[in-house]
Amino acid sequence: MAADMRFQVRCFEVMSRGDPAELRETRGSGGRVLVQTVKADAGRNEFFFEMLAAQTFAAMESGRLLARKPEVDLLLRIAGTNQITEAVERVGAKRGERYIAVFAGPRAGIGMFARALGSAGRRLSRNPLNAEELDRIERAALLNLSKY
């Protein structure tokens, strides 16, 4: 993904009682769209998730992901930890519960996911970042320092 930010992020709160793991296993646009699901209370602002996804894409470009897979890097940043088990415990989506689906990737690839969710998902609003979100974004950026 180019650093020129030609990606977009779309986030949906999913009310379905389905399995979020099935959605995570879906990859679109030639596997270039990141798909991650998190607990419904992991965030309420699409702009917040976009900032964390930008960190993941920058880490991909520099070869400094927090994990082998970019989807896991994004999960770690959302949770604010470099421990996968802790991240899953803190923000991991669970079957049968509401969750947020985060799609990040090329602009052309994101639309198919929104259509696939249909009425099962309600898009999160985009708002200016609040103090807590800014703090979480900063902590997510600092995770790279603890790894390298």
Side-chain angles (χ1 to χ4, degrees):
M1 197 68 49
D4 61 8
M5 304 294 280
R6 279 190 270 200
F7 73 92
Q8 67 180 13
V9 174
R10 293 293 176 260
C11 301
F12 298 86
E13 183 175 13
V14 180
M15 307 304 247
S16 166
R17 298 294 186 218
D19 188 355
E22 291 175 9
L23 186 59
R24 283 193 306 273
E25 292 168 7
T26 306
R27 303 250 340 196
S29 190
R32 297 182 340 176
V33 174
L34 302 183
V35 179
Q36 187 52 266
T37 58
V38 293
K39 290 180 181 178
D41 65 357
R44 303 299 315 151
N45 184 353
E46 189 174 74
F47 188 38
F48 165 72
F49 289 107
E50 182 177 308
M51 297 304 294
L52 295 177
Q55 290 178 10
T56 294
F57 289 131
M60 285 171 58
E61 287 184 1
S62 68
R64 297 191 142 216
L65 285 171
L66 299 172
R68 286 189 198 111
K69 295 181 177 182
E71 293 85 357
V72 178
D73 179 280
L74 182 57
L75 179 70
L76 292 169
R77 291 176 192 282
I78 293 168
T81 182
N82 57 12
Q83 299 297 314
I84 294 171
T85 305
E86 189 176 338
V88 170
E89 186 177 299
R90 282 186 193 176
V91 299
K94 294 184 174 90
R95 180 184 192 99
E97 296 179 2
R98 292 180 310 120
Y99 62 91
I100 295 173
V102 180
F103 306 108
R107 293 178 191 271
I110 297 292
M112 67 177 254
F113 289 103
R115 288 187 297 278
L117 279 176
S119 62
R122 182 183 58 82
R123 186 165 169 198
L124 294 186
S125 60
R126 293 180 59 84
N127 300 300
L129 298 167
N130 64 35
E132 179 201 0
E133 291 165 337
L134 288 168
D135 183 55
R136 288 178 65 191
I137 291 166
E138 182 178 11
R139 280 187 280 136
L142 293 174
L143 290 172
N144 279 90
L145 295 177
S146 64
K147 178 163 177 155
Y148 296 98

